[in-house]
Amino acid sequence: MDHKGNNNNKNGKGGGPKKSMMGIASIIIWAVVIVVLFNYFASAAATSGQVEIKFSELIQLVKDDKVEEVELQTNRYTVTLKEDAQQGWMQEYYGEEYNENLQMPTIYAAPLSYTDFLLLLDEHGVAYYTPYQSSNFFTEFLLSYLLPMLIMVGIMILVFRIFMGGKMGGGMGIGSVGKSNAKMYVEKSTGVTFRDVAGQDEAKESLEEIIDFLHNPGKYTAIGAKLPKGALLVGSPGTGKTLLAKAVAGEAKVPFFSISGSDFVEMFVGVGASRVRDLFKEAAKMAPCIIFIDEIDTIGKKRDSGGIGGNDEREQTLNQLLAELDGFDPTKGVIVLGATNRPEVLDKALLRPGRFDRRITVDRPNLAGRLATLQVHTRNIRLSEDVNLEKIAAATAGCVGADLANLVNEAALRAVRMGRQAVNQNDLLASFEMVIAGAEKKGTVLTEKEKKLIAYHEVGHALVAARQKGTQPVSKITIVPHTQGALGYTMQTPEEEKYLEDKEELLADMRTLLGGRAAEWTVFHTMTTGASNDIERATDLARRMVTMFGMSERFGVMGLATLQNRYLDGTAGMNCAEATAAQVDEEVRKLMTDAYQDAIRILEENREMLDKIAAYLLEKETITGQEMMAILEGRDPALVDNFGATPEPSRKRTLTGDVEPPARAVHMVSEPPVNPFIDPPADAEGESGDTAGGEGGAQPGPADSDAPAAPESTGDSAPPEAVNDAGDSDPGDEKN
């Protein structure tokens, strides 16, 4: 086995320069052919407008006084006719083909030994001369052939390097077109160990065995065990798959080859397969080592069964990867790690045992994992004494490692902006809000009517959530517009980690989502576009209950949809007939209607508290969930704990000068009855069509629908038709 491998290595070492020399020879040959053809066609083009006459004709033209000038050369005499003689000569020469658009050609004659020719020219007053001609053949050859050929060779090499991605060396890039572009880190040069990875204990445990095998292969081979050839890291974007792979290399202290799946893809068929062969050949020389292929789904997609739409280059690359995984000796310690967030598209042949033996899920971190991740990212950050990372970890449910790293960095930047020497709790909380909702839009001017609508909308979310069991507690309510489109939002934070939700909890979430629209109708008997995102999310939740969770009375435990792209957008594809899909829509509408009516009922029963909290929110613009609960319990909201943060001066915005409000696509969809609380007098400024929510509604918090934390928002698009009580009049059709 070893002898064979050594032979292969020798062949590989000898084949590279040989291929490179062949590539250079091919370029030189092509350059010579191109230069010769170029000179040939250039010469042909130069003589295309020339006419050869007999020497006797030349003598006659001189005698007829039609010649202006004669150029005496070694191989020919070039004649220039007088202007008055050119037209007559052309008519005689071209005959019927003559026309006025023809240009006078260059006339020349082959020289003869005619000693009296110069005397004849002098007799008729014809000027003549002999141009200087270099007799240096080498110079002429250099300028005409050698120099153009060298320039052509250089251009062709440059073109090959640019378009084929070859590396300099050996054949100046030509022989290395199929070479791997993998980055290699040796020993500790990755700079990453398991100490830098937090919140992924299960994944690290699965990889520790691989590291131990690379360190102590003998204790495994003694019992007859074989090292897994490959491990596939699967998880959502930002969970730390690439970081884990580098940490494995850093812990094992072995060479680490890192390459992306897109580096194998080329427009030329066979280049990708060649790069795979080269990658594994180089890895075999450096064994024991680790090969890491990021975004392996680029080359590992399911192969087509034929017909239109096939990709020969990608399929050849995949076939070569499968062959290399089967071919190398596992005892040498070459480990292949792959990372993807689309495992459902991978070819089954790639996932079978013997190739990628292990599938390691790198999931979103839980509460303990988020706390550990925050501790890792704050190791080099100067923190103040009031920082409580446990509360920040609880507030960031559903966030991945990349989100937490960005949160800590934004907090440090905010501390610098504020002129502080250390990051405090407020910086961390504010950075979390900025990441999920954007920065505050200080220049946005809202009318009093819009402020009241937004305030009641957001308080509607919060109050419905507070008056139900099984809902996540409210942590913050704000009516300050933010750059990501929200005119206001309500943030909910889970008290504990939850992995399952029952039907009643899901229905409570739906009522909370529809609480904003219910508040608009309860207080103002109107509807705004601000609830579009709420309606969209509530509808999606209801549809999942019917099609995936088996929580429908009509369909029971029947599965009608399949989750697609679990680690990306999490969309579901329907697996039912069109008639069944129509029935699903009816069932979803029933759930939405019931949830909306329940939300209206809760707000009507707590109308006094709704007004009190809305008035307090209008005064402060931003309040915490603790302050809201203090109002509900009859306590002073100024004395509550602000989620561990140190009290700061009021952030109520003050606008000075004339600020022109930006254009807004905000409108009422109904004609509400007169409401003394909100409707201005008849002579007041502003139109009745200006309401809240036109630009609002970016969902704060992680977009993953399965995340525990699900802050509410006001939506940024026109809503679908409102769901109303059966006994209520329809408040109007939505028109966008």
Side-chain angles (χ1 to χ4, degrees):
M1 188 70 74
D2 294 337
H3 181 69
K4 184 178 179 181
N6 292 334
N7 290 338
N8 291 337
N9 291 340
K10 291 180 181 180
N11 293 335
K13 291 179 181 179
K18 185 177 180 181
K19 290 182 179 179
S20 299
M21 293 302 297
M22 292 178 60
I24 294 178
S26 302
I27 287 181
I28 294 175
I29 293 173
W30 277 107
V32 171
V33 172
I34 292 174
V35 171
V36 172
L37 291 177
F38 176 79
N39 284 314
Y40 173 78
F41 287 110
S43 177
T47 59
S48 61
Q50 299 180 358
V51 174
E52 183 178 9
I53 61 176
K54 297 179 180 179
F55 189 75
S56 59
E57 296 178 5
L58 172 60
I59 298 296
Q60 188 61 44
L61 289 173
V62 175
K63 292 180 178 181
D64 295 339
D65 294 325
K66 296 181 178 181
V67 179
E68 179 75 23
E69 185 181 75
V70 177
E71 179 182 315
L72 305 177
Q73 299 181 2
T74 306
N75 57 346
R76 71 179 188 179
Y77 296 158
T78 304
V79 184
T80 302
L81 299 180
K82 296 180 179 180
E83 293 184 3
D84 56 353
Q86 291 181 3
Q87 185 176 1
W89 183 89
M90 291 176 65
Q91 289 177 350
E92 182 180 353
Y93 179 79
Y94 288 106
E96 297 179 356
E97 298 180 357
Y98 172 77
N99 59 73
E100 296 180 353
N101 296 325
L102 291 174
Q103 300 291 328
M104 181 66 191
T106 300
I107 304 174
Y108 68 93
L112 293 178
S113 179
Y114 185 62
T115 57
D116 296 332
F117 182 64
L118 298 181
L119 297 175
L120 180 64
L121 295 178
D122 291 335
E123 181 182 348
H124 290 272
V126 179
Y128 59 89
Y129 67 96
T130 301
Y132 172 78
Q133 294 181 351
S134 176
S135 59
N136 193 336
F137 173 77
F138 177 76
T139 303
E140 184 178 352
F141 176 77
L142 177 65
L143 296 177
S144 300
Y145 290 95
L146 187 59
L147 184 60
M149 187 182 68
L150 293 177
I151 296 174
M152 186 63 62
V153 170
I155 293 175
M156 293 180 68
I157 290 177
L158 182 62
V159 169
F160 269 92
R161 289 188 62 192
I162 293 175
F163 291 98
M164 291 192 172
K167 298 183 288 184
M168 284 296 291
M172 300 184 69
I174 305 306
S176 56
V177 172
K179 289 188 176 293
S180 169
N181 296 325
K183 299 178 181 178
M184 189 183 74
Y185 305 89
V186 183
E187 298 294 332
K188 297 182 180 180
S189 60
T190 60
V192 181
T193 64
F194 279 162
R195 182 173 175 269
D196 302 305
V197 182
Q200 303 295 340
D201 296 337
E202 294 80 7
K204 289 195 291 186
E205 290 177 3
S206 300
L207 295 170
E208 284 177 353
E209 191 174 31
I210 295 176
I211 298 173
D212 187 52
F213 185 94
L214 293 175
H215 285 164
N216 306 296
K219 70 178 183 179
Y220 292 93
T221 56
I223 201 174
K226 296 181 179 180
L227 179 69
K229 289 186 177 182
L232 186 65
L233 304 176
V234 178
S236 303
T239 52
K241 299 183 295 293
T242 304
L243 188 66
L244 264 173
K246 291 184 178 181
V248 170
E251 292 287 340
K253 299 179 182 179
V254 297
F256 179 72
F257 293 84
S258 177
I259 192 170
S260 175
S262 59
D263 292 335
F264 295 106
V265 180
E266 289 286 350
M267 65 179 293
F268 304 101
V269 177
V271 175
S274 176
R275 289 180 177 176
V276 172
R277 287 193 298 269
D278 182 74
L279 174 61
F280 279 85
K281 184 186 298 182
E282 294 297 323
K285 298 176 185 178
M286 303 292 293
C289 63
I290 295 174
I291 299 175
F292 175 60
I293 305 176
D294 201 5
E295 307 296 341
I296 196 174
D297 54 275
T298 306
I299 60 173
K301 290 183 180 178
K302 298 176 182 178
R303 288 165 288 186
D304 298 317
S305 58
I308 302 175
N311 190 326
D312 291 338
E313 165 62 7
R314 180 175 58 79
E315 291 185 5
Q316 285 193 20
T317 305
L318 174 59
N319 291 334
Q320 187 63 45
L321 177 61
L322 298 177
E324 294 293 340
L325 288 172
D326 286 336
F328 70 85
D329 187 0
T331 61
K332 292 185 177 182
V334 179
I335 307 298
V336 182
L337 298 180
T340 181
N341 46 39
R342 301 183 64 192
E344 69 277 354
V345 304
L346 295 179
D347 196 286
K348 299 297 183 183
L350 188 65
L351 301 176
R352 74 161 177 81
R355 288 168 179 165
F356 281 101
D357 304 274
R358 294 188 177 182
R359 180 166 172 171
I360 301 172
T361 301
V362 187
D363 211 345
R364 297 175 181 271
N366 54 18
L367 178 60
R370 294 194 300 274
L371 177 59
T373 304
L374 287 171
Q375 291 171 346
V376 168
H377 291 301
T378 56
R379 284 187 308 200
N380 300 322
I381 303 295
R382 185 179 298 175
L383 303 177
S384 62
E385 296 180 355
D386 71 329
V387 171
N388 190 333
L389 295 180
E390 288 81 2
K391 292 188 176 182
I392 302 299
T396 54
C399 292
V400 297
D403 297 327
L404 299 177
N406 189 31
L407 184 151
V408 172
N409 186 63
E410 289 290 345
L413 296 176
R414 184 179 187 271
V416 174
R417 281 198 308 270
M418 296 296 181
R420 289 192 287 270
Q421 300 297 321
V423 176
N424 60 21
Q425 187 79 349
N426 290 326
D427 294 327
L428 292 169
L429 292 171
S431 65
F432 172 61
E433 296 169 18
M434 187 172 69
V435 170
I436 63 176
E440 295 183 1
K441 297 174 68 174
K442 299 180 180 179
T444 301
V445 180
L446 300 175
T447 65
E448 290 299 321
K449 180 187 297 185
E450 290 174 335
K451 287 183 179 180
K452 291 178 181 178
L453 275 164
I454 297 172
Y456 273 95
H457 181 105
E458 301 303 335
V459 174
H461 288 304
L463 189 56
V464 172
R467 292 307 191 193
Q468 296 183 97
K469 296 181 179 180
T471 58
Q472 299 170 357
V474 176
S475 61
K476 183 177 180 179
I477 312 171
T478 182
I479 58 173
V480 177
H482 286 70
T483 55
Q484 293 188 10
L487 291 177
Y489 63 85
T490 300
M491 184 186 303
Q492 293 179 269
T493 307
E495 291 181 325
E496 58 184 3
E497 215 65 30
K498 294 179 64 176
Y499 301 98
L500 294 174
E501 287 188 285
D502 57 31
K503 182 178 180 180
E504 191 55 41
E505 290 174 339
L506 294 176
L507 292 175
D509 292 339
M510 291 177 57
R511 300 184 192 106
T512 302
L513 288 168
L514 298 176
R517 168 58 63 85
E520 295 174 5
W521 183 253
T522 300
V523 179
F524 310 120
H525 288 279
T526 189
M527 293 180 287
T528 70
T529 57
S532 63
N533 184 256
D534 302 326
I535 295 174
E536 179 184 351
R537 295 174 58 221
T539 304
D540 180 69
L541 181 56
R543 189 171 298 278
R544 288 173 179 263
M545 292 175 62
V546 175
T547 60
M548 300 178 63
F549 303 155
M551 298 179 179
S552 169
E553 296 180 358
R554 175 178 295 186
F555 299 103
V557 295
M558 182 178 180
L560 302 173
T562 302
L563 191 64
Q564 301 174 349
N565 297 328
R566 175 185 176 188
Y567 298 106
L568 293 178
D569 54 9
T571 58
M574 297 295 294
N575 298 327
C576 60
E578 294 184 2
T580 306
Q583 297 177 6
V584 169
D585 291 339
E586 295 179 3
E587 192 71 10
V588 170
R589 186 182 185 279
K590 182 178 181 300
L591 289 174
M592 292 286 293
T593 302
D594 294 341
Y596 182 66
Q597 293 174 350
D598 291 340
I600 292 178
R601 175 182 54 78
I602 293 173
L603 294 178
E604 289 177 346
E605 294 174 354
N606 297 270
R607 176 60 188 273
E608 182 180 355
M609 290 298 173
L610 177 64
D611 293 335
K612 287 184 179 180
I613 300 172
Y616 186 75
L617 179 60
L618 285 169
E619 179 184 356
K620 297 291 187 179
E621 290 192 345
T622 300
I623 65 174
T624 65
Q626 291 86 346
E627 291 175 306
M628 183 196 71
M629 294 305 299
I631 296 174
L632 291 176
E633 297 170 2
R635 298 183 285 110
D636 186 0
L639 303 177
V640 300
D641 175 41
N642 186 16
F643 212 66
T646 304
E648 287 187 342
S650 176
R651 300 175 62 189
K652 185 175 179 68
R653 299 176 303 151
T654 57
L655 301 176
T656 59
D658 296 331
V659 182
E660 183 180 356
R664 298 186 298 274
V666 180
H667 61 277
M668 295 285 198
V669 299
S670 65
E671 297 180 358
V674 176
N675 189 322
F677 186 80
I678 186 65
D679 289 341
D683 57 348
E685 295 182 359
E687 299 178 358
S688 61
D690 292 335
T691 67
E695 299 292 334
Q699 170 60 32
D704 189 3
S705 60
D706 295 330
E712 311 302 329
S713 68
T714 56
D716 60 354
S717 60
E721 182 177 315
V723 181
N724 298 296
D725 227 325
D728 295 340
S729 60
D730 190 357
D733 294 330
E734 183 79 18
K735 296 181 181 180
N736 299 324

